[in-house]
Amino acid sequence: MDSHVASLRSALGDDALVTDPAAMEPYRRDRALDPDAGVPLAVVLPETTAQVQAAIRWAAEHRVPVTPRGAGTGLSGGATAVHGGIVLSTERMRAIAVDPVTRMATVQPGLLNAEVKAAAAAHGLWYPPDPASFEICSIGGNAATNAGGLCCVKYGVTADYILGAEVVLADGRAVRVGGPRLKDVAGLSMLDLFVGSEGTLGVITELTLRLLPAPPPPRTVVAWFDDTEGAAAAVQQIASRIRPSMLEYMDRIAVNAVEDVLGAGLHRDAAALVVARSDDQHPDGAEIAVMLDALTAHGAREAFEAPDPEAGERFAHARRIAIPAVERLGPLLLEDVGVSLPRFGELVAGVEAIARDRDVTIAFIAHAGDGNTHPLVVCDPADPSRNERARLAYGEIMDLAIRLGGTITGEHGVGRLKRPWLAAQIGDDLLDISLRVKRALDPDGILNPGTIFAADDTAPTRRGQSA
Amino acid sequence: MDSHVASLRSALGDDALVTDPAAMEPYRRDRALDPDAGVPLAVVLPETTAQVQAAIRWAAEHRVPVTPRGAGTGLSGGATAVHGGIVLSTERMRAIAVDPVTRMATVQPGLLNAEVKAAAAAHGLWYPPDPASFEICSIGGNAATNAGGLCCVKYGVTADYILGAEVVLADGRAVRVGGPRLKDVAGLSMLDLFVGSEGTLGVITELTLRLLPAPPPPRTVVAWFDDTEGAAAAVQQIASRIRPSMLEYMDRIAVNAVEDVLGAGLHRDAAALVVARSDDQHPDGAEIAVMLDALTAHGAREAFEAPDPEAGERFAHARRIAIPAVERLGPLLLEDVGVSLPRFGELVAGVEAIARDRDVTIAFIAHAGDGNTHPLVVCDPADPSRNERARLAYGEIMDLAIRLGGTITGEHGVGRLKRPWLAAQIGDDLLDISLRVKRALDPDGILNPGTIFAADDTAPTRRGQSA
């Protein structure tokens, strides 16, 4: 092992390598806190594509697993270190160039999402994708998971803003896929294949992002419901008629957790809070009227437009901090299931039933407008029985989403935590051809083994057997 | 061969099979009119996914090439029949169901784009992608080529509206990829891989499409220029500042060809016509002002907002009929090259130089706002020398686009015509891994051989050698 690492060190330089166990510790897991994370041989901290290539070439030569890593804010265990592998963190790859003429940015993967937004805003431009973690998550991680956020309901997901990428392949070659072109259909859509592949097909070392002109100021609508069914029905009516720029949902548990933090006077007794936005500029405010009508028609106790942008932002902020607020109740198993809107009410009710049956606390928050939900299953490290019930509930929620024709993950990725449910959602045949693509691009199975695919299925021995 | 076809006939039923040479003739080519098109064994006209599966299973068993075909309006030779193969036309697969609640449509591939638009409009909804051929091209062909159109500059391309698909694989299995979910990152992005794969990875038998609420009425701006440089600069300024819903360009040759048809009083002496639209609803008409300012600042001879929707539509119509209008000058070699906007002027000038040097007529029309252009190289069947020069010009335009960092195809696809230029654009390494994906999904190379990839590279013998 030591001679292996020595050759890696000489290929990369001292500065780019961490082997001290204490210093490596923070690189072993993402926010899914996988208890089974391995101890890597080394953490690699490249600054350049050439260094990424050198690390991957070394790994390919020695058949050492590579765990690519952005900022480590992943929630599905997609950046869990493998014993004896290397962790490749892109945190030092932080260059960015914004071209206001073409409205594009060229960025290295280690920049935070918020830094990309800020660099764009400095030119009066806008990078829309906004995971709730946008201040701490990396743009490379966003691309690797095809991250979503609050604005997706109108403005789409990360993939919609990626025009091109430089990717280091499993054999160390670097390829450019796509580029600064708004329309390009030359060859297979390999760019889209790399986006969202969670580091299993290559390491993204540069991105070309599409930017938009600065968005018009939003108007915010807030509604409180005494029942979740009414809130779900109102959400569906809004989403079917207009394109809100945000359409969020929080249940009573989430509202109370946020109110514990903010003390802002949120209604602790309400069953659900809906926060919606419109950035439509039509002078008659038609979208606001559609939203208020739908909320009232479905029995909102209160439904009103925020009187000013600051008041509106306070409600959006309340939604954004829901996950850390609920986390104060205990460590979370964080769901990311999605359904089409007519099934949203059934999902809410089903999750309530699971919480009751398993006697666990599950807060329910959602990017409701696109049917992407985050039931937050609260664990208790001091109570093994409760933890086990929480784990079972976590699986049952995915089973439920699949039964409802939904997805186990709308924006976080499969990682390791959701991998056991993938085949049940997509089917054995689609998993089979996905595995064939994985093996075609990473025949030795060194890239992020255990993520999306079972490590056994991508290991070369197994591959040889089934080829 | 005959016993082969008999078994295919018994698998599909008499009605679904055409073997009469005269009846097969219209199925041998798309609008690229490939002179090297083969004579197929049979044309298959399935109505159901099961029939598609039966045909592909038969083809897989007998290692017979399959050419999937939509409405045959392709412009790159992506639906060129192979000698001794079968052509699989989806023209009879015409079911559609629109769900106004989720704003989605489930469609079979044979429906025309215009029929999808009409079915959506019947519910007050909108399917945006609008290839200029929308009245005669199929939705399945749109998906297979990831077709573009005039609205892409603001509303994106076909892929942006495909949420799910049913695909019949090279071995006859049918898989569902994606589905009625606005956000779904479960597993590799196989849906995006099938979209735009030009029938080389599978046959799309059903699509789940995202629809939008009906668009607000557009306002149209028109400008005439005495020089192409000014028009190019104005286009760039507009696209960098706002999001027009259309931003089109025509040169003098195209304008004159259209005026020959319409007799509408278009300025025959102008160097360029720019037609732009805004559907922004801001009451101050800010986008219209930005457009008029940019056009005037860059020397437009005339720049004005169309006085009413009908007048605006007349200019949009003039742009849409440009290809058939120019076609009256002679058969066309139809380019689809794209560049980023700062290179648009260089592309225009470069194409002019090629036309001069090769002494051929090249009309220049463009979806200018996204840098996607269609230089139309006019051939003359009666003049072999001119035809040969046209063919050389066609290649030189692609060479130029690649030199400018652009693409050989923005929305039509690689097909057979542009295949010789693909490696020069995307590079050998990206072509290599694309080929690996192709071989992983179609190991016997039966799906649309010769399209995107050279048939030799996808044939199983060659595959065995390089594996």
Side-chain angles (χ1 to χ4, degrees):
Chain A
M1 289 282 183
D2 272 358
S3 71
H4 280 180
V5 175
S7 66
L8 179 60
R9 191 181 299 276
S10 70
L12 291 175
D14 264 354
D15 274 3
L17 209 67
V18 176
T19 53
D20 174 63
M24 289 200 297
E25 186 59 28
Y27 293 95
R28 291 179 56 215
R29 301 177 177 87
D30 57 24
R31 291 193 65 191
L33 301 177
D34 189 336
D36 301 325
V39 177
L41 280 180
V43 174
V44 176
L45 300 169
E47 289 177 52
T48 64
T49 299
Q51 284 181 308
V52 174
Q53 292 183 268
I56 302 281
R57 284 207 185 99
W58 177 90
E61 186 186 343
H62 298 283
R63 303 224 171 172
V64 167
V66 179
T67 304
R69 179 188 176 90
T73 57
L75 296 161
S76 300
T80 295
V82 176
H83 193 73
I86 60 172
V87 173
L88 191 158
S89 167
T90 58
E91 70 193 58
R92 291 187 183 168
M93 304 182 73
R94 293 179 44 76
I96 183 166
V98 175
D99 178 356
V101 172
T102 56
R103 282 202 269 110
M104 294 180 194
T106 307
V107 305
Q108 281 189 309
L111 223 65
L112 302 184
N113 176 301
E115 294 174 317
V116 174
K117 282 186 191 298
H123 293 273
L125 298 172
W126 181 35
Y127 174 71
D130 59 348
S133 60
F134 75 99
E135 289 174 308
I136 53 170
C137 63
S138 74
I139 195 75
N142 290 177
T145 55
N146 190 11
L150 284 69
C151 76
C152 309
V153 62
K154 181 165 184 176
Y155 289 100
V157 294
T158 301
D160 298 317
Y161 295 88
I162 300 181
L163 297 172
E166 180 187 64
V167 180
V168 174
L169 303 174
D171 59 11
R173 284 182 294 174
V175 293
R176 291 205 164 264
V177 200
R181 299 173 287 275
L182 295 181
K183 282 154 96 182
D184 186 356
V185 296
L188 298 182
S189 309
M190 298 298 287
L191 176 63
D192 295 302
L193 186 62
F194 286 113
V195 173
S197 66
E198 303 186 39
T200 64
L201 302 182
V203 177
I204 294 168
T205 48
E206 188 184 284
L207 292 161
T208 303
L209 302 175
R210 179 182 199 172
L211 306 174
L212 297 187
R219 296 166 64 177
T220 305
V221 162
V222 178
W224 294 98
F225 285 84
D226 289 323
D227 61 308
T228 57
E229 296 82 358
V235 160
Q236 177 176 309
Q237 182 170 326
I238 293 168
S240 67
R241 299 204 180 159
I242 60 166
R243 300 178 71 203
S245 58
M246 186 171 106
L247 185 45
E248 297 287 321
Y249 173 99
M250 289 167 69
D251 77 351
R252 188 194 316 252
I253 299 172
V255 165
N256 276 275
V258 169
E259 179 63 10
D260 288 345
V261 174
L262 294 182
L266 301 179
H267 295 335
R268 288 184 180 274
D269 63 328
L273 166 65
V274 172
V275 183
R277 279 184 163 170
S278 164
D279 62 8
D280 173 66
Q281 293 301 291
H282 200 281
D284 65 6
E287 289 198 343
I288 299 295
V290 168
M291 294 197 286
L292 290 173
D293 285 354
L295 296 160
T296 307
H298 291 285
R301 174 208 294 189
E302 255 186 82
F304 58 93
E305 182 180 354
D308 55 57
E310 294 69 30
E313 182 53 30
R314 278 197 295 276
F315 282 96
H317 177 69
R319 166 59 190 86
R320 275 196 213 96
I321 68 158
I323 291 177
V326 176
E327 219 158 21
R328 289 159 49 113
L329 307 180
L332 301 181
L333 288 172
L334 211 148
E335 280 291 1
D336 181 35
V337 294
V339 291
S340 72
L341 276 185
R343 318 307 290 269
F344 184 79
E346 284 171 84
L347 183 67
V348 170
V351 169
E352 278 172 8
I354 290 168
R356 212 163 41 232
D357 293 349
R358 291 292 176 194
D359 189 22
V360 290
T361 300
I362 307 179
F364 198 106
I365 61 176
H367 308 306
D370 49 32
N372 178 213
T373 77
H374 299 310
L376 309 172
V377 188
V378 182
C379 301
D380 179 350
D383 183 346
S385 149
R386 191 185 190 79
N387 267 355
E388 174 60 12
R389 298 196 313 273
R391 210 182 52 74
L392 292 169
Y394 180 74
E396 287 164 353
I397 293 170
M398 283 188 276
D399 295 338
L400 171 64
I402 293 168
R403 275 204 309 279
L404 295 174
T407 179
I408 59 172
T409 177
E411 59 183 10
H412 294 169
V414 174
R416 289 168 174 250
L417 264 60
K418 290 172 171 277
R419 194 187 66 216
W421 284 265
L422 182 59
Q425 179 188 330
I426 71 172
D428 290 335
D429 287 335
L430 183 54
L431 185 58
D432 167 59
I433 59 170
S434 303
L435 253 169
R436 288 203 225 170
V437 169
K438 161 70 173 171
R439 291 167 184 159
L441 267 58
D442 178 20
D444 291 329
I446 63 168
L447 290 178
N448 216 358
T451 287
I452 301 181
F453 306 106
D456 277 357
D457 288 337
T458 58
T461 49
R462 168 65 179 246
R463 192 180 68 88
Q465 286 163 15
S466 67
Chain B
M1 290 285 184
D2 272 357
S3 71
H4 281 181
V5 175
S7 65
L8 179 60
R9 190 182 299 276
S10 69
L12 290 176
D14 263 355
D15 272 5
L17 209 68
V18 175
T19 53
D20 173 64
M24 290 200 296
E25 186 59 29
Y27 293 95
R28 290 179 56 215
R29 302 176 175 88
D30 58 23
R31 291 192 67 189
L33 301 179
D34 189 335
D36 301 324
V39 177
L41 280 180
V43 174
V44 176
L45 300 169
E47 289 178 52
T48 66
T49 299
Q51 285 182 309
V52 174
Q53 291 184 271
I56 303 280
R57 284 207 184 100
W58 177 89
E61 186 187 341
H62 298 283
R63 302 224 172 173
V64 168
V66 179
T67 305
R69 178 186 176 91
T73 57
L75 295 160
S76 299
T80 295
V82 176
H83 194 73
I86 60 173
V87 172
L88 192 159
S89 167
T90 58
E91 69 192 60
R92 292 187 183 169
M93 303 182 75
R94 293 178 42 76
I96 182 166
V98 175
D99 179 357
V101 173
T102 57
R103 280 202 270 112
M104 295 180 194
T106 308
V107 304
Q108 281 190 308
L111 224 64
L112 301 184
N113 176 301
E115 295 173 317
V116 174
K117 282 187 191 298
H123 293 273
L125 298 172
W126 180 37
Y127 175 70
D130 59 348
S133 60
F134 75 99
E135 291 173 305
I136 53 170
C137 62
S138 75
I139 195 75
N142 290 176
T145 54
N146 190 10
L150 284 69
C151 76
C152 308
V153 61
K154 181 165 185 176
Y155 289 99
V157 294
T158 301
D160 297 318
Y161 295 87
I162 299 181
L163 296 172
E166 180 187 64
V167 180
V168 174
L169 304 173
D171 58 11
R173 285 181 293 174
V175 293
R176 290 206 165 265
V177 200
R181 299 173 287 273
L182 294 180
K183 283 155 95 181
D184 186 355
V185 295
L188 298 182
S189 309
M190 299 297 287
L191 176 63
D192 295 302
L193 186 62
F194 285 112
V195 174
S197 65
E198 303 187 38
T200 64
L201 302 182
V203 177
I204 294 169
T205 48
E206 188 184 286
L207 292 161
T208 303
L209 302 175
R210 179 181 200 173
L211 306 174
L212 297 187
R219 295 166 65 177
T220 306
V221 162
V222 178
W224 293 98
F225 284 85
D226 289 324
D227 62 309
T228 58
E229 296 82 358
V235 160
Q236 177 176 310
Q237 182 171 326
I238 292 169
S240 68
R241 300 206 179 158
I242 59 165
R243 301 177 71 202
S245 57
M246 186 171 108
L247 185 44
E248 297 287 322
Y249 173 100
M250 288 166 70
D251 76 350
R252 188 194 316 250
I253 298 171
V255 165
N256 277 275
V258 169
E259 179 63 10
D260 288 346
V261 175
L262 295 182
L266 300 178
H267 295 336
R268 288 184 180 276
D269 63 328
L273 167 64
V274 172
V275 182
R277 279 185 163 170
S278 163
D279 61 8
D280 174 66
Q281 293 301 292
H282 200 281
D284 67 4
E287 288 197 344
I288 299 294
V290 167
M291 294 197 288
L292 290 172
D293 284 356
L295 295 160
T296 307
H298 292 284
R301 174 211 292 190
E302 254 187 80
F304 59 92
E305 181 180 355
D308 55 57
E310 294 69 31
E313 183 52 31
R314 278 197 294 277
F315 283 96
H317 177 69
R319 165 59 190 86
R320 277 197 210 98
I321 67 157
I323 291 177
V326 176
E327 220 159 19
R328 291 159 49 113
L329 306 181
L332 302 180
L333 287 172
L334 212 148
E335 280 290 3
D336 180 36
V337 295
V339 292
S340 71
L341 276 184
R343 320 305 292 269
F344 183 81
E346 283 171 85
L347 182 67
V348 170
V351 170
E352 278 173 7
I354 290 168
R356 213 164 37 235
D357 293 350
R358 291 292 175 192
D359 189 21
V360 289
T361 299
I362 306 180
F364 197 106
I365 63 176
H367 308 305
D370 49 31
N372 178 213
T373 76
H374 300 311
L376 309 172
V377 188
V378 182
C379 300
D380 179 351
D383 183 347
S385 149
R386 190 184 191 81
N387 268 353
E388 174 61 13
R389 296 198 312 274
R391 210 183 52 74
L392 292 170
Y394 181 74
E396 286 164 355
I397 293 171
M398 284 188 274
D399 295 338
L400 170 63
I402 294 169
R403 275 203 310 279
L404 295 174
T407 179
I408 58 172
T409 177
E411 58 182 12
H412 294 168
V414 175
R416 288 168 176 251
L417 264 61
K418 289 171 171 277
R419 194 187 66 216
W421 284 266
L422 182 59
Q425 179 188 329
I426 72 173
D428 290 337
D429 287 336
L430 183 53
L431 186 56
D432 169 57
I433 59 168
S434 304
L435 254 170
R436 289 203 225 169
V437 168
K438 162 68 173 173
R439 290 166 183 158
L441 267 58
D442 179 19
D444 290 330
I446 63 167
L447 292 176
N448 216 0
T451 287
I452 301 182
F453 306 106
D456 278 355
D457 288 338
T458 57
T461 49
R462 167 63 181 249
R463 192 180 68 88
Q465 286 163 16
S466 66

